[in-house]
Amino acid sequence: MQTHQDHLTELDQKSLFVWCDNVPLFPDHENVKRYGLTGLTKNRSLSYNSKLGLLPCYDLPLGTCADLCLLSHKNFLICYVGNNQQENINPDRKAILSHNLAMIRRPDQFVKTLTYEIKKSNFGFFRFFESGDVENYEQLKAVFKVCNNCEFVNFSLFTKRGDILDQMLTEQTQTRKKIKPENLNIIYSTDRPEIPIHPAEQKKFKILGLSFGEISADEDRTTCEASKTKHCDLCRECFLTPKNQKKNKGKFVFLGHGKNYTARAEKLKNYLAGTGDALQTVQNHAKTQNQTKTSTQTRTTARTARKAQN
């Protein structure tokens, strides 16, 4: 039986898959097995998101972004990935995330390995970080190298790390050379529900060619159809730079996920405004943690003193 790779041509490399005859454009897992594409799922670093039509994605543990994102805070629990039990109980998923974190912390190996896996998969689109985020600018520059190595692929990368983008802006200003690869769309998103990236910050980062994202409970404001329908269908706006986007033009609005989103988002907004029960909850939590820390230190000191006496 001929496989996906047998039908690959250079002309078709910009497409999602190269399909023969009646192979559907967006296969489910059964069709992946049926049409001899199971090799695509054996890449150790890649995840395949059904919402994206099984497009590959490089994910990291939620811990790389949770401490910096209010959506993941234990008092709000808005983050869709954080509320997904598979992230915590699925051993295969946990293994991939641990493997990916170790690999991206070795940038040279990350570039070499991921470049190979992407080229072997023959996809025209690739996403970074459905889960997690870069930890430093060195990791982001390693992503840039992968994108430059795979110039036939359109990439998207989601991040909330404005501090790392600041470093990118500084380097571009000093070198007077564009840093971001042309085939990469970076979506800088906010962790404040219903609140977009501040206009001054958007203006500052515009020279980098970024897109900007926010989340909302209002379907009429939502520009990402996949966040409403749970399927990207033929849309590839996330993978296009702002100048090539037909609908979003660099500004994405994603629909908040989950049945509890509205209530939890309201709780977070009240906290940010310094009002509501959430503020007291967070303050009480911080107080309890400090008390626990103090109590632990006291016990440790007492234990050490007893050992010294003996």
Side-chain angles (χ1 to χ4, degrees):
M1 182 183 70
Q2 288 186 311
T3 66
H4 162 68
Q5 286 79 4
D6 294 330
H7 291 270
L8 182 67
T9 66
E10 290 184 3
L11 182 63
D12 291 319
Q13 283 184 338
K14 294 294 289 185
S15 63
L16 174 62
F17 270 113
V18 183
W19 300 106
C20 58
D21 300 325
N22 297 320
V23 181
L25 182 61
F26 296 101
D28 54 22
H29 292 281
E30 179 181 351
N31 281 326
V32 166
K33 182 177 180 180
R34 176 183 176 187
Y35 290 101
L37 305 178
T38 51
L40 296 176
T41 63
K42 294 181 180 179
N43 289 325
R44 189 177 178 185
S45 307
L46 308 185
S47 303
Y48 296 87
N49 190 323
S50 59
K51 184 180 76 173
L52 299 177
L54 292 183
L55 287 179
C57 183
Y58 189 92
D59 294 330
L60 292 172
L62 198 61
T64 57
C65 61
D67 292 339
L68 303 170
C69 180
L70 284 172
L71 301 178
S72 300
H73 195 282
K74 63 177 64 179
N75 289 306
F76 308 115
L77 299 177
I78 297 173
C79 176
Y80 181 71
V81 176
N83 291 329
N84 185 348
Q85 293 185 359
Q86 292 299 316
E87 297 291 310
N88 300 313
I89 65 175
N90 187 318
D92 293 335
R93 176 64 174 170
K94 292 170 68 176
I96 288 177
L97 297 179
S98 297
H99 165 266
N100 287 359
L101 181 60
M103 190 166 79
I104 201 171
R105 287 176 172 174
R106 301 171 59 193
D108 291 341
Q109 185 63 40
F110 166 80
V111 173
K112 180 179 178 181
T113 301
L114 192 57
T115 296
Y116 171 77
E117 291 191 352
I118 292 174
K119 288 186 175 181
K120 185 176 72 170
S121 294
N122 292 321
F123 280 88
F125 300 89
F126 189 95
R127 173 175 171 172
F128 285 101
F129 313 136
E130 180 189 27
S131 168
D133 205 339
V134 287
E135 298 175 298
N136 51 57
Y137 187 37
E138 184 181 16
Q139 292 179 5
L140 182 60
K141 289 195 289 187
V143 169
F144 292 168
K145 290 180 180 179
V146 172
C147 296
N148 286 326
N149 290 343
C150 303
E151 69 279 358
F152 56 88
V153 179
N154 288 327
F155 294 88
S156 71
L157 182 150
F158 287 76
T159 184
K160 293 181 174 65
R161 295 299 301 270
D163 57 326
I164 294 177
L165 296 177
D166 268 324
Q167 296 178 55
M168 177 182 168
L169 178 61
T170 298
E171 181 179 348
Q172 181 163 306
T173 302
Q174 292 175 345
T175 61
R176 297 184 180 181
K177 294 181 180 180
K178 288 187 176 181
I179 304 298
K180 184 181 73 66
E182 287 295 323
N183 59 335
L184 169 65
N185 181 39
I186 297 178
I187 301 178
Y188 178 35
S189 54
T190 176
D191 62 349
R192 270 67 171 168
E194 317 296 337
I195 303 175
I197 299 292
H198 194 280
E201 201 168 16
Q202 292 191 36
K203 183 179 180 180
K204 178 179 70 172
F205 287 138
K206 186 177 181 180
I207 193 174
L208 297 178
L210 308 184
S211 296
F212 302 94
E214 62 174 291
I215 52 176
S216 174
D218 186 352
E219 288 197 26
D220 293 334
R221 291 189 61 236
T222 302
T223 62
C224 173
E225 290 299 319
S227 62
K228 294 189 288 187
T229 64
K230 298 183 179 181
H231 204 295
C232 292
D233 198 21
L234 298 178
C235 179
R236 291 294 176 266
E237 291 264 303
C238 287
F239 301 90
L240 303 177
T241 55
K243 64 182 180 181
N244 294 319
Q245 295 167 13
K246 296 181 179 179
K247 181 178 181 180
N248 292 279
K249 299 300 181 183
K251 295 185 179 181
F252 292 82
V253 180
F254 303 96
L255 184 67
H257 289 79
K259 62 181 181 180
N260 296 314
Y261 169 80
T262 301
R264 291 174 177 176
E266 188 66 27
K267 185 178 180 182
L268 176 53
K269 286 192 292 183
N270 290 337
Y271 168 72
L272 293 172
T275 60
D277 296 337
L279 181 63
Q280 189 64 46
T281 300
V282 174
Q283 290 174 341
N284 290 340
H285 176 70
K287 183 178 179 180
T288 301
Q289 283 192 320
N290 289 333
Q291 291 174 342
T292 302
K293 184 177 180 180
T294 300
S295 177
T296 301
Q297 290 175 340
T298 301
R299 290 196 302 271
T300 301
T301 302
R303 190 181 303 113
T304 302
R306 287 196 300 272
K307 287 183 179 179
Q309 290 176 353
N310 296 333

